[in-house]
Amino acid sequence: KRPDLTDMTVTGKISKEEKDGRNGQKRTVYTLTDAAGAQVMLSTGRGKPGADAPAPEAGAVKLEDYVGKDVTVTGKGFTMERNGAKMTHIVQITKIEAK
């Protein structure tokens, strides 16, 4: 079960990775790595929204435009522990600024 969403602001560099998804399809995963090396998963604004995550507006942030850049991302997300590892995921990006 996913925790409630909270306001978050993180700063770091965005990277992109292609991973195998369901049904053999490739999916693109965006992460932000902060100065301490911690990784934060970033939502692309696609997919089925949950009850606490309204559907993104037509002008959803295009993370591709920020790959390899230092940015500050503001939005709503959650942090949880899975298999002994801490995982942070921003699922609603409200603002992104390149440094």
Side-chain angles (χ1 to χ4, degrees), residues 65-87:
D65 296 343
Y66 297 96
V67 172
K69 297 180 182 177
D70 288 315
V71 299
T72 297
V73 175
T74 303
K76 292 195 175 285
F78 62 91
T79 299
M80 63 185 285
E81 198 167 309
R82 181 181 288 170
N83 299 328
K86 183 175 158 183
M87 178 185 88

Side-chain angles (χ1 to χ4, degrees), residues 23-34:
N23 302 325
Q25 296 178 345
K26 294 285 185 189
R27 65 184 181 105
T28 303
V29 176
Y30 293 92
T31 56
L32 180 143
T33 304
D34 69 14

Side-chain angles (χ1 to χ4, degrees), residues 11-68:
T11 299
K13 186 172 285 196
I14 292 183
S15 61
K16 169 182 151 178
E17 183 179 353
E18 297 292 324
K19 292 192 174 190
D20 292 327
R22 295 181 186 151
N23 302 325
Q25 296 178 345
K26 294 285 185 189
R27 65 184 181 105
T28 303
V29 176
Y30 293 92
T31 56
L32 180 143
T33 304
D34 69 14
Q39 291 192 332
V40 177
M41 299 285 294
L42 301 174
S43 171
T44 58
R46 290 180 287 157
K48 186 176 181 181
D52 57 353
E57 298 180 14
V61 173
K62 292 186 172 106
L63 293 172
E64 180 67 33
D65 296 343
Y66 297 96
V67 172

Side-chain angles (χ1 to χ4, degrees), residues 2-6 8 77-81 86-89:
R2 185 172 83 184
D4 292 337
L5 298 181
T6 60
M8 295 185 160
F78 62 91
T79 299
M80 63 185 285
E81 198 167 309
K86 183 175 158 183
M87 178 185 88
T88 301
H89 190 148

